[in-house]
Amino acid sequence: MSSYPRRLLTAAVLAVLTMSAAACASDKPSPSATAAPAASTGTADKGTGAQSKFFVQADYDAQMAMRQAQPTGSPDQPWEQSIDPQPVSTAKYKKAGPYHLCFSNAAVNNPWRQVGWKTMQAEVGLHKEIGRFTALDAEGKDDKQISDIAELQGKGCDVLIVSPNTTATLTPAVSGACPKVPVIVFDRGVQTDCPVTFIKPIGGYAFGATAAEFLIDKVPSGGKILALRILPGVDVLETRWSAAKVAFDKSDLDVVGVEFTDGDAAKTKSIVSDYIQRHGKIDGVWMDAGATAVAAVEAFEDAGVPVPPINGEDQQDFLKKWSDAKLTAIAPTYPTYQWRTPVIAALKILKGEEVPKVWNLPQPTITQENLPTYLKPGMPPLHYALCGCENLPGYPEKWGGTA
């Protein structure tokens, strides 16, 4: 397997399952794509367990470097920006409009995907040269998406956009479509470089490291850290934890627990309460996804103890809790604005314009300083601040908000 498809698998932009900002694929990587053991990180295990099989040093290093890179393009349109773009020619796909864009969607089974889907539809509405937009929802089922991709190839699509339900299982379907129609993959990767472009934010390693480094900075030496994860074997969550493990193993903090919450608020609250009782004090909480961050905060409040430094995501309920309770917090993000980019990329390809082979989008972090920018009054609790939808027709009502 070449390094390019391995990078697509291990750094694939997978949205987190269930109630998280991203619904992730759960394919395990093939043997050639599995990571070296923990020793490859140069750190010892300090209660964090063995390093994930999903860890790939080269991908980790690349994402750490991208966090400091300056994207090309306008900061006002981050969904069009790109980090270290390597452009490819699309001249062979140039044709006259109007265009028929087709989309095979993994699912709309969580708030992150629902926000993204609304954003994508609004982006399509901006372009008069799009004469037809056909979308099929796989409902989180691999077999249905394989069938959907086959069906779309018979509908006269000028471009096929795919958000794969899982990585390895959908690879043959995507590979089979590439010779027949220009393919764009986003959000989750596949194990082939045949798509014209693969669109993703920086990735899971960047998310996990950002949150861990915040705790290392804010928690006193020797402080007790509780790490909350959703599920094992989900690649973007594994890479988030992989990067956090590297940081914690180099630090002088004590990771007293690594627990799986299944993305369930009640279970999250119960786990945190148990650790407070067991250890007397928890000094920091790291989370691989922020959908249940409010539940974790409430466990400390119910116990009558201060809420320690914690990370969440850009979901509005957490941002509001952060602001109201004056938490010490940070929110790495997995921007929902990435749902605009495939539509833009499709039009570039059909007009014969160059696009990046791997379109790395910026992945902002919400901090205390910029929190007011992302806290959106009138938006529902499960709305994601980095939707990039504020300038789209129908905002905020189409996203469940009030003007």
Side-chain angles (χ1 to χ4, degrees):
M1 181 183 296
S2 70
S3 62
Y4 177 79
R6 182 178 70 179
R7 182 166 62 250
L8 293 193
L9 173 62
T10 58
V13 190
L14 308 178
V16 175
L17 284 172
T18 61
M19 298 173 61
S20 154
C24 311
S26 56
D27 290 314
K28 293 186 178 181
S30 63
S32 60
T34 54
S40 68
T41 67
T43 61
D45 170 20
K46 296 173 62 177
T48 55
Q51 184 55 280
S52 170
K53 292 180 179 180
F54 287 79
F55 183 86
V56 175
Q57 187 72 51
D59 296 342
Y60 169 85
D61 293 341
Q63 290 191 24
M64 295 304 99
M66 278 192 278
R67 290 194 300 166
Q68 310 303 323
Q70 183 65 36
T72 61
S74 171
D76 295 331
Q77 297 177 308
W79 49 89
E80 294 193 34
Q81 289 187 302
S82 183
I83 300 172
D84 189 27
Q86 303 298 319
V88 294
S89 173
T90 66
K92 66 180 180 180
Y93 302 116
K94 185 176 181 180
K95 62 190 305 183
Y99 304 119
H100 180 194
L101 272 56
C102 294
F103 176 37
S104 171
N105 190 10
V108 286
N109 55 5
N110 63 53
W112 186 88
R113 302 195 70 82
Q114 291 160 15
V115 170
W117 173 227
K118 292 172 186 174
T119 300
M120 175 182 277
Q121 292 174 90
E123 177 67 37
V124 168
L126 295 178
H127 304 282
K128 294 180 179 179
E129 61 269 49
I130 299 176
R132 187 178 175 193
F133 180 54
T134 302
L136 298 179
D137 179 4
E139 302 171 358
K141 301 172 184 176
D142 285 344
D143 56 350
K144 186 177 187 309
Q145 187 164 35
I146 291 168
S147 175
D148 288 348
I149 291 173
E151 179 180 342
L152 288 170
Q153 291 174 59
K155 289 186 177 294
C157 305
D158 293 313
V159 168
L160 175 61
I161 299 168
V162 181
S163 173
N165 187 56
T166 60
T167 298
T169 307
L170 267 298
T171 294
V174 171
S175 297
C178 285
K180 303 170 186 176
V181 61
V183 176
I184 297 168
V185 171
F186 85 103
D187 166 39
R188 308 169 176 179
V190 286
Q191 293 174 292
T192 172
D193 62 359
C194 77
V196 181
T197 183
F198 171 46
I199 298 163
K200 67 179 186 69
I202 295 174
Y205 295 110
F207 183 109
T210 296
E213 290 163 2
F214 175 78
L215 295 179
I216 292 167
D217 180 59
K218 296 297 183 181
V219 176
S221 177
K224 299 176 181 179
I225 302 297
L226 173 59
L228 298 177
R229 304 181 59 190
I230 295 180
L231 295 168
V234 178
D235 48 6
V236 72
L237 301 179
E238 292 283 353
T239 56
R240 289 180 182 187
W241 173 239
S242 290
K245 172 184 163 55
V246 171
F248 287 138
D249 286 351
K250 292 178 181 178
S251 78
D252 54 9
L253 300 182
D254 181 13
V255 179
V256 296
V258 182
E259 300 285 351
F260 291 102
T261 69
D262 300 327
D264 180 80
K267 185 174 181 179
T268 299
K269 196 170 184 178
S270 176
I271 290 170
V272 175
S273 298
D274 179 64
Y275 270 81
I276 294 170
Q277 294 175 5
R278 189 187 312 175
H279 293 276
K281 184 182 182 184
I282 297 297
D283 301 294
V285 177
W286 181 94
M287 306 188 74
D288 66 1
T292 60
V294 171
V297 169
E298 289 174 346
F300 289 96
E301 294 175 335
D302 291 349
V305 298
V307 181
I310 187 172
N311 78 276
E313 280 189 80
D314 57 317
Q315 196 166 283
Q316 287 298 302
D317 60 351
F318 175 69
L319 300 185
K320 187 175 188 305
K321 188 70 172 179
W322 176 358
S323 178
D324 291 349
K326 296 180 170 52
L327 302 178
T328 299
I330 196 169
T333 68
Y334 193 73
T336 328
Y337 58 59
Q338 67 183 279
W339 289 70
R340 298 185 68 168
T341 315
V343 177
I344 295 166
L347 295 176
K348 285 181 174 291
I349 291 167
L350 293 173
K351 294 175 182 179
E353 300 174 10
E354 291 183 337
V355 294
K357 182 63 177 176
V358 180
W359 196 323
N360 295 301
L361 298 166
Q363 187 170 305
T365 298
I366 301 176
T367 65
Q368 184 63 49
E369 290 69 30
N370 63 20
L371 174 60
T373 301
Y374 295 103
L375 188 56
K376 308 289 185 181
M379 297 306 291
L382 301 184
H383 180 71
Y384 285 84
L386 274 80
C387 66
C389 57
E390 291 84 358
N391 67 339
L392 289 171
Y395 181 88
E397 290 82 4
K398 285 186 178 179
W399 286 261
T402 57

